[in-house]
Amino acid sequence: ATLCTGWPFAAALFVPLGLRAIYLASTASNATTNGAVIANICRLLIRTLFHATLIQAIVTAIDYYYYQKITFPSWNILKYNAMQGEDTLYGVEPIEYYIKNILLNFNFIAVGAGFSVVPIIYTLIQSKNKQQQYLLKAMLYSIS
């Protein structure tokens, strides 16, 4: 919810985490019947909605203090970029621009991440352990 209030497109990064939370809620030790599974998922969604609402209320209060009006910057970003077709400011640079930007902002970390791809793929191919394969795939996915 915090990233959504600042840059709503980052919410897409949390979809896998949310799906994992729903999966864990549905396979919890107390979820032995369909009713218990649904109850666990409902509790999770209610808690999530409560926390998101609480965070949004705090952010709205801070924005009101500074702007002297109720405003929702996340909505403005979505409206401008997705609904009004004004999104030509972003994504129109050549690929070299983005490579330079990554190297400038993440310098040696970006270079290290690039060099780590080959050893991760090699270890992934050699590994017989399913849990290790899962972790290596997750690492590889996070780098790309």
Side-chain angles (χ1 to χ4, degrees):
T2 303
L3 282 176
C4 286
T5 60
W7 193 52
F9 305 106
L13 298 172
F14 291 97
V15 169
L17 183 63
L19 293 174
R20 174 84 172 149
I22 290 171
Y23 171 76
L24 291 176
S26 67
T27 59
S29 60
N30 68 341
T32 55
T33 65
N34 286 342
V37 169
I38 292 171
N40 281 353
I41 292 173
C42 285
R43 274 195 295 276
L44 172 71
L45 295 176
I46 289 169
R47 275 197 323 260
T48 302
L49 182 64
F50 171 75
H51 289 110
T53 303
L54 181 65
I55 291 169
Q56 186 60 51
I58 293 169
V59 170
T60 302
I62 293 169
D63 287 342
Y64 180 78
Y65 177 78
Y66 284 103
Y67 296 124
Q68 295 297 307
K69 65 179 183 176
I70 293 179
T71 183
F72 298 99
S74 299
W75 170 250
N76 293 340
I77 290 170
L78 282 172
K79 186 172 72 171
Y80 179 81
N81 286 307
M83 297 178 187
Q84 292 179 340
E86 304 282 336
D87 56 349
T88 57
L89 293 175
Y90 307 103
V92 295
E93 300 292 337
I95 189 70
E96 297 84 24
Y97 169 82
Y98 297 104
I99 292 170
K100 289 176 187 174
N101 195 10
I102 286 173
L103 292 174
L104 179 64
N105 290 317
F106 297 107
N107 47 51
F108 65 91
I109 294 173
V111 174
F115 284 125
S116 69
V117 171
V118 173
I120 290 174
I121 290 174
Y122 176 77
T123 307
L124 183 62
I125 292 169
Q126 297 297 321
S127 176
K128 304 293 184 223
N129 183 340
K130 293 289 185 188
Q131 185 176 9
Q132 186 180 16
Q133 284 181 347
Y134 173 78
L135 291 172
L136 289 169
K137 286 178 185 177
M139 286 171 44
L140 190 59
Y141 180 71
S142 68
I143 291 171
S144 60

